[in-house]
Amino acid sequence: MKHERHSTAALHSASAPSAHGAPAAAADDGSPLVRVSCVRHVYPDRTLVHLCGLDFVVGARERVVILGPNGCGKTTLLYHILGLLEPAEGEVSVLGVNPAREFSRIRERIGVLLQNSEEQIIAPTVWDDVSFSPRSYGYSDAEVDRMVNEALECVGIPHLAHKVCHHLSGGEKRKVALAGALVLKPQLLVLDEPFEGLDPTSRTDLIHLLNDLHQRQGVSMVMATHDVNAVAPMADRVYVLLRGGEIVAQGSPADIFKDPGLLKRSNIEPPVLAELFQRLEQLGIPLGRPQSLEEAARAIAQHCARGGASAPAGAAARERG
């Protein structure tokens, strides 16, 4: 959205203090890491985004996807979480503080991956870029080396450490930006359309990388996307937004995708598998609602092994009609 372009310097800790500061208390008492409650924001051109309907909540170690069409306010929601926007109404709490007023207390504990990774890369070489935040925070040279090497290993690009960022592919630039987001080992990772513009191989690679990161380090994730096919393998919980910001549904991917009509009403094209298995159920062949190709193949194989027949004659006749 044209209203949602902000300086990347704030996201890259350009104003980071030399000392590590007094961190906010960790949300390890069962309280949510993130809570956004009925936020209303008005942009300078008077465009209104009203993120209301349901509270937006992210728990510890949880992967949450914000699903909605372009222009529904997904990035507006992310920028309130990052403290880049302050609401005219409503409440935002991140790691126990108001991020618009106290982001310095939680800065080191939040990593960010922007939609356009090239906007996030601000140094000439990969090592320079990934090392920017720890150097800005005043870590020693030895600590910076260790942190950068660990981040590059984590995303699988140690061989790119001394490459010029400008010469990298789109997928490689995305990994450089992700390494920069992870270098301080954040508790919360915020991703804005992370699969935008990636080829299928790079997209699959990034999904595996993020899921592996979540499994190994327990990082909580908030991801905004309109790519419905990336949701099932990436989400524990999904929030669905309408244009204008209304939060109309939340639940597991299975709960959200069992109702393709909800997605269509939200101007979101349902996953092909969701529509296919809903159609089979309407034809009298209930096979559940598989969330992946592997689950779909197993469901069909099991149905065939049980001697499953074609749809009942009445259903088939209605379909022909």
Side-chain angles (χ1 to χ4, degrees), residues 27 99 140 172 190 254:
S140 69
E172 289 171 335
V190 177

Side-chain angles (χ1 to χ4, degrees), residues 93-136:
S93 174
V94 179
L95 297 169
V97 305
N98 178 342
R101 301 187 180 185
E102 300 180 272
F103 191 71
S104 61
R105 295 181 61 197
I106 58 175
R107 189 195 310 269
E108 287 185 81
R109 296 165 60 196
I110 299 178
V112 185
L113 183 63
L114 297 174
Q115 178 176 349
N116 185 349
S117 55
E118 292 193 27
E119 292 183 354
Q120 193 167 348
I121 296 173
I122 61 175
T125 71
V126 171
W127 194 95
D128 290 337
D129 193 79
V130 177
S131 67
F132 182 88
S133 289
R135 285 187 287 115
S136 296

